[in-house]
Each structure stands twice: as C-alpha cells, then as structure tokens.
Amino acid sequence: MTTAHSSAPARPLALVTGVGRTAGIGAGIADRLAADGWDIALTCWTPYDERMTWGVEAGATDAITKSLAAHGAATTAVEADLSDPDAPAFVFDEVERRLGAVTALVMCHCESVDSGLLDTTVESFDRHFAVNARATWLLIREYGRRFTGAHGTGRIVALTSDHTVGNLPYGASKGALDRITLAAAHELAHLGVTANAVNPGPVDTGWMSPELRERMAGLTPLGRLGTPHDTANLVSFLCSPQGQWINGQLLMSNGGLG
C-alpha cells in the first residue's frame, strides 16, 4: 500500500524496518517520525508473525499506514524476508521507486526465538544471524551506496538488546548488530551520516506473561515497563537536526533497569 501527498515543502523519507503490528516498537517509531514531518516507508514480514505466539494482526499494515498518513506523511509498505540476502536491495529499489531517496534508516526488524546454549538449533542460530546481523549490514550497505543527501542529514538507528541468557541466538546476533552499526558511524563519515544503536530495555508489546511484566517492572527505578513511545522519543531526537552530535553510540533507553 502506498499513499502520496503533493504538498510542498518536501518531507525527508525514513525507512523503518520490522513494522508488523500496531503495538510494536517499529509502529511507535514510525508514528512519531511521521508526526515530526517525515515520510515513512516500512517493511514487514507476515510469515514471521505467523510463527510467533501473538500471530498475525489482521489489517495492521493498513491501520499503521493510515495513522501515518493522518500526520501528512506519504507512506509505503514492503513485505520483505530479511533472511534473504537479496531482500535489502529489493527493499531500497521498491522504496526509491515509490517514494524517493531514503534519508533515515531505522532498523527495528528482528528474529527472536527463545532458546539457550544447549537447545538452540543450527538452523535457528543461522536464521537469527541472517536477519539480525547480516540483514543489518546489507541494509546499511545499500543505504551507504545510495545516500545522496546533504552532508550531516543522514541518520542510521538500529534497535538492539543485551539479553542472552535463555535467548542466546537473539542476544548474540544483536551484539553483532551493535558492532556493524557503530562501524557505520566511522565508515560513512564521508557522507555525514550518523549511526547509533538503541537498547530499549523491557518493552511489552504483547509477548510478556503477567508474571514477567511484574518482575521486569520491579527492576526499574520508576517501577514500570518501557513503551514504544519511550523508544520513539529517543529515535525522534537522534533523527532530528538537534541529534546530529550523537554519533557512534550504544544508547540505553531502559528506565535504569537494574
């Protein structure tokens, strides 16, 4: 689905990956950026949600794009299996064809299946690294190859995690994502692009049990969980002109989680 607006002045374009559910962090970030004046391209992958306990949210993409359009944003959504090494180039091709050049790349996509050292399968381990690490590299590579914006305007933000115990392939592949993203702050310096990783801490988007919600909330000084809006506030700042001097950082936005 694509919506477009012809009114001037032109809005910059943000590509936000991993926006499959209205309650997700990706949707919260996309909504905030649209309200900030960005056009939004998003990716989703329905078969991933089908494998997860929460299942597919019927009509989510339409609801999200309509919400973005209500902020005046031109929008488009691309279904993409980011475990496919050809997917990042396909995504950029489609987004550029539909809406134009990408100024900000915000990566919220992930593969996340709980398993530990002893029970993680090779297939699951490889899929986690393909989606969380390799796809991040390939998306950043496509972005760097194609970026033509004014020096100092480009932004890369990737969502990460430091959870590894009982969540080994997810946490390990997110650790690789950190290094790839932070390298971009230096390797893309000639483009004037900033690159940061954001750890949003415990955000319940429908995957936590009541017991886990209570336990995690008790570990933060404010006694609550994070929300997609909390993460979106930081990403909004990083993507703004005021956030330009924050670069090459791994930022914790976790409420002081102990």
Side-chain angles (χ1 to χ4, degrees), residues 26-41:
I29 290 171
D31 187 75
R32 175 58 187 272
L33 291 178
D36 288 345
W38 293 79
D39 288 337
I40 305 292

Side-chain angles (χ1 to χ4, degrees), residues 11 53 149 170 253:
R11 298 162 60 110
T53 56
Y170 176 73
S253 179

Side-chain angles (χ1 to χ4, degrees), residues 242-255:
Q242 292 76 23
Q244 184 191 63
W245 196 236
I246 311 301
N247 192 21
Q249 301 301 308
L250 171 54
L251 303 168
M252 309 298 286
S253 179
N254 63 6

Side-chain angles (χ1 to χ4, degrees), residues 1 17 19 31 40 59 72 76 95 130 132 159 163 166-168 173 182-183 185 212 237 252 255 258:
M1 180 181 203
T17 64
V19 187
D31 187 75
I40 305 292
T76 197
V95 170
N132 297 342
L159 296 194
H163 189 253
N167 209 199
L168 173 74
S173 57
L182 300 184
L212 182 59
F237 175 74
M252 309 298 286

Side-chain angles (χ1 to χ4, degrees), residues 15 17 43 80-95 109 130-131 134-143 146:
L15 168 57
T17 64
T43 73
D81 177 7
L82 291 174
S83 69
D84 179 352
D86 294 327
F90 166 75
V91 168
F92 271 87
D93 286 343
E94 286 297 297
V95 170
H109 65 275
V131 174
R134 187 179 68 194
T136 296
W137 160 52
L138 292 173
L139 285 163
I140 291 174
R141 187 175 74 171
E142 288 299 320
Y143 175 87
R146 299 171 188 237

Side-chain angles (χ1 to χ4, degrees), residues 23 48 67 120 131 145 151 165 178 190 216:
Y48 173 72
S67 174
T120 295
V131 174
R145 286 175 170 175
H151 192 277
V165 178
D178 294 350
H190 62 290
M216 296 307 295

Side-chain angles (χ1 to χ4, degrees), residues 111 113 115 119-130 169:
E111 172 75 14
V113 179
S115 61
D119 60 338
T120 295
T121 66
V122 170
E123 185 274 337
S124 178
F125 187 90
D126 287 349
R127 188 190 312 119
H128 277 82
F129 271 82

Side-chain angles (χ1 to χ4, degrees), residues 21 23 25 53-54 114 161 163 200-220 224-228 254 257:
R21 298 183 299 129
I25 294 176
T53 56
W54 53 75
D114 290 347
S161 173
H163 189 253
V203 178
D204 182 17
T205 58
W207 59 273
M208 288 188 183
S209 67
E211 295 77 17
L212 182 59
R213 279 197 298 270
E214 182 177 0
R215 181 165 66 86
M216 296 307 295
L219 293 175
T220 65
R224 70 170 178 87
L225 298 172
T227 70
N254 63 6
L257 179 68

